[in-house]
Amino acid sequence: MLLQQQTWQEIETYLTRSNGIILPIGSTEQHGPNGLIGTDALCAEVIARGVGEAADALVGPTIGVGVAVHHMGFAGTMTVRPSTLIAIMHDYVLSLARHGFRRFFFINGHGGNIATCQAAFSEIYAEFEGAVGVRRDDELRCRLANWWDGKTMSALAKEIFGDDEGSHATASEVSVTQFAFPDNIKHAEMNPPRAPSGRFHGPADYRRRFPDGRIGSNPGLASPEKGRRFYEAAVPELVRTYTGFLGENA
Ligand SMILES: [Zn+2]
């Protein structure tokens, strides 16, 4: 159920049975030779829609551009500053809170967003709970769920790709986009097959160390069928997390 495809009356009715909403958040950044620039936003969105359907929950608009400063050495990458992302999340959550939403479940597709999301939650709580204003006892909660995280997902990545999964432009995320967008599969030679791993600082150093954009991965092994397995594992796991989150009451 997509927020943007409902009427306001339908949302008013939804709020009589649930105060929860799912918000996909991703990034628009290079993903190596065969990975789409939208990979992180697309994976988060596709999986969030699956979770929304299975859990009969509303899914809000995707935050499609995240914190991707270190990918800026590659054409097409877009980034927002951490302070901008905090402001966006703050405004999304508090505008929905005004209508009665109180549980905000962010399904995230980008590791580089995690620290900023946690800071955004602190910012939102400080304002909503009146830490610096009028006291308010009503409660609002945010939760961040990285779709690729969790025991099931890492076991599956290990089983299917072993050490070729990598940490950026991973074989699993490229597979998920191939599953979701089979008409837009890109083919490229991976040289070397598995990209180097290691640390970096900033966009120039990143591009020097990882010239084709990948870190530690071989997304040449990606396939739509493997993507389907990740999708089908991620959705029920996230449905459980979401349902548990709604039921929390302590
Ligand atoms: Zn990614």
Side-chain angles (χ1 to χ4, degrees):
M1 215 187 323
L2 305 179
L3 174 78
Q4 290 173 317
Q5 293 183 26
Q6 312 294 311
T7 64
W8 70 263
Q9 290 94 339
E10 287 172 312
I11 300 303
E12 216 167 63
T13 306
Y14 175 86
L15 281 162
T16 62
R17 66 175 176 84
S18 176
N19 64 6
I21 186 164
I22 297 166
L23 294 164
I25 175 167
S27 184
T28 300
E29 63 185 45
Q30 69 81 18
H31 268 76
N34 71 339
L36 307 179
I37 286 177
T39 297
D40 291 349
L42 296 169
C43 288
E45 185 170 278
V46 161
I47 290 169
R49 289 178 179 202
V51 174
E53 261 167 48
D56 195 20
L58 204 56
V59 179
T62 302
I63 299 177
V65 179
V67 178
V69 177
H70 53 281
H71 294 289
M72 288 303 287
F74 298 87
T77 298
M78 295 170 68
T79 190
V80 292
R81 288 165 288 162
S83 56
T84 307
L85 184 57
I86 291 171
I88 292 168
M89 293 173 70
H90 171 276
D91 292 359
Y92 274 33
V93 165
L94 291 178
S95 54
L96 290 164
R98 185 178 162 124
H99 306 302
F101 289 96
R102 289 294 181 270
R103 294 290 183 275
F104 299 86
F105 191 71
F106 286 86
I107 294 186
N108 179 36
H110 175 49
N113 286 341
I114 296 173
T116 303
C117 287
Q118 297 303 345
F121 294 169
S122 299
E123 186 79 32
I124 290 162
Y125 296 155
E127 173 151 344
F128 186 83
E129 288 158 11
V132 289
V134 179
R135 176 175 169 164
R136 175 166 190 158
D137 294 322
D138 194 4
E139 215 181 60
L140 176 157
R141 293 185 193 197
C142 299
R143 180 67 47 85
L144 188 71
N146 307 311
W147 72 262
W148 70 90
D149 254 354
K151 272 199 191 117
T152 320
M153 301 310 292
S154 36
L156 191 60
K158 192 94 204 145
E159 179 203 322
I160 299 181
F161 298 118
D163 291 338
D164 285 321
E165 164 70 350
S167 59
H168 182 69
T170 63
S172 63
E173 62 184 346
V174 172
S175 295
V176 170
T177 59
Q178 292 186 350
F179 162 67
F181 304 96
D183 296 335
N184 200 19
I185 295 175
K186 313 282 183 179
H187 300 280
E189 202 195 327
M190 300 293 157
N191 186 19
R194 187 194 300 166
S197 303
R199 301 164 81 83
F200 58 87
H201 178 85
D205 189 38
Y206 186 115
R207 182 147 181 172
R208 226 175 1 251
R209 289 174 194 270
F210 312 106
D212 72 6
R214 298 173 294 148
I215 303 181
S217 67
N218 180 5
L221 302 173
S223 79
E225 173 54 24
K226 291 170 187 166
R228 186 184 59 77
R229 292 182 63 191
F230 283 96
Y231 174 85
E232 287 177 356
V235 167
E237 185 157 276
L238 289 166
V239 167
R240 275 193 299 278
T241 313
Y242 176 70
T243 316
F245 173 57
L246 289 187
E248 268 175 22
N249 207 10

